[in-house]
Amino acid sequence: MSLTRVESSARTALPEITGDLRRLVELETPSDDKELLTAGLAAVEAWTHHRLGPPDESRRYDGGPHGDMLELLYRGTSPAVVLVLCHYDTVWPAGTLAEWPFRVSGDGRATGPGVFDMKCGLVQAVWALRLLRELHLPRPSVRLFLNGDEEIGSPASRPHIERLSEDATATLVCEASAGPEGALKTSRKGVGLFEVTVEGVEAHAGLDPYRGASAVHALAELVTLVADLGSRERGTTVNVGVIGGGTGRNVVAGRASCGIDVRIPDPAEAARVDSALTSLAPSDPRVRASVTGGWNRPPMVPTPASRLLFKQAHAAAEELGWSLRETAVGGASDGNFVSALGRPVLDGLGAVGDGAHARHEHVLLDHIPPRTALLAGLLMAGAG
């Protein structure tokens, strides 16, 4: 009945937890604003000290032009170490809060920029550890890693995540859950970000049309080939999301480009897509195409160790009186990096709600106590 005690304590503390959620949402931390990220991380660090006391170890890592990272270690009752991943950056630009402030509606929905993705998950992680300590329950040493560049692919934080997960008995990712039932994410697609650039021959469209070789026309031809790389049967999606080129209606375009997003469920698909992209060639020999970019995150494919983590989560949910589902999603997270190394990882342990990266972003406050208890249960299991 330990987890029911955690849930009961979390429900009693829900007004405080909601206040903490407001506090974090009202820290604007857009991924592209170093100054706000620095101030935001300092405020988050002060808040964790308020809720958990000073950590046993603390290390800050320079993110360069991106948000810095913070590693906080809280020693437990066992020698085991569990890595908890949270990001504090959001997709919302500075100034969003002024037009879309944190609010709680009468039906128990909390809304605001970043509330679902993923500041509620960060709040739940801290409170899960706090309640385990207050209730004197077994727990591992918890290494809490706060990432400031997740929304842009974790370019600075990836090597730290891979290193810190090496000696962890489990990595728990507090990204938001999936769907109205709060399913955990046991599979995620890998992400490739590419750009195709076409160089043609400029000419006057009326006076000398056949001397030119249009980069725009050639790119239109290639876009069809790129889109055809998507495969429902394989679960691979290809989206040409940005396109541009040319200088005027009456000019045969000398240059054009497009941005491509590729999602793959299987690592083997990366080789197929790579081969096809590097083989792109316009039918007009005067036009040249080049491809830049690469794979941002590998797929998150369940390993036997990760399957065991989900079984532990399922058992914890049953103890709390509800049934837990798992799902596969197209979005990626920092859990992808850990999974690709064959290490145990479980994702989607954060908020229940909806609207990541959208104006209807919200969390359901009534789900916070059971989700906090669920995370506490996984930490207890990680204590051995």
Side-chain angles (χ1 to χ4, degrees), residues 199 201 212-214 218 221 281-288:
E199 301 285 348
V201 180
S214 174
E221 174 188 4
S283 58
D284 189 329
R286 297 174 296 168
V287 180
R288 296 287 180 266

Side-chain angles (χ1 to χ4, degrees), residues 193-210:
L193 304 174
F194 301 91
E195 183 163 330
V196 175
T197 301
V198 178
E199 301 285 348
V201 180
E202 285 189 337
H204 193 293
L207 296 177
D208 217 2
Y210 300 110

Side-chain angles (χ1 to χ4, degrees), residues 102-318:
F102 179 87
R103 288 194 181 96
V104 176
S105 60
D107 61 356
R109 294 187 178 208
T111 184
V115 67
F116 182 63
D117 185 13
M118 62 158 283
K119 291 184 175 178
C120 187
L122 174 52
V123 170
Q124 290 174 186
V126 168
W127 273 90
L129 179 54
R130 176 186 170 96
L131 293 175
L132 284 177
R133 292 164 66 174
E134 283 186 351
L135 297 170
H136 304 289
L137 295 171
R139 62 190 184 279
S141 293
V142 173
R143 181 176 287 127
L144 178 63
F145 186 77
L146 306 179
N147 173 4
D149 64 353
E150 193 276 341
E151 294 291 6
I152 55 173
S154 302
S157 56
R158 177 177 182 173
H160 299 290
I161 292 166
E162 292 175 336
R163 174 178 53 82
L164 293 173
S165 67
E166 185 175 1
D167 65 347
T169 58
T171 297
L172 306 178
V173 186
C174 293
E175 290 279 5
S177 64
E181 297 176 355
L184 298 191
K185 299 169 181 177
T186 52
S187 299
R188 285 183 178 270
K189 290 186 179 181
V191 181
L193 304 174
F194 301 91
E195 183 163 330
V196 175
T197 301
V198 178
E199 301 285 348
V201 180
E202 285 189 337
H204 193 293
L207 296 177
D208 217 2
Y210 300 110
R211 178 175 291 182
S214 174
V216 168
H217 294 183
L219 182 61
E221 174 188 4
L222 297 183
V223 164
T224 300
L225 299 177
V226 169
D228 285 344
L229 292 175
S231 169
R232 280 183 177 267
E233 293 75 20
R234 295 183 174 98
T236 296
T237 62
V238 178
N239 181 63
V240 179
V242 180
I243 193 166
T247 57
R249 296 187 188 188
N250 59 349
V251 180
V252 177
R255 182 182 175 89
S257 64
C258 67
I260 305 165
D261 178 293
V262 184
R263 309 274 167 150
I264 57 170
D266 186 335
E269 277 291 86
R272 181 182 74 86
V273 172
D274 280 340
S275 177
L277 289 178
T278 55
S279 300
L280 288 175
S283 58
D284 189 329
R286 297 174 296 168
V287 180
R288 296 287 180 266
S290 60
V291 180
T292 56
W295 296 97
N296 174 261
R297 285 189 174 96
M300 188 174 90
V301 180
T303 64
S306 295
R307 302 299 314 165
L308 177 60
L309 277 180
F310 178 75
K311 288 182 180 179
Q312 292 172 341
H314 191 272
E318 285 191 329

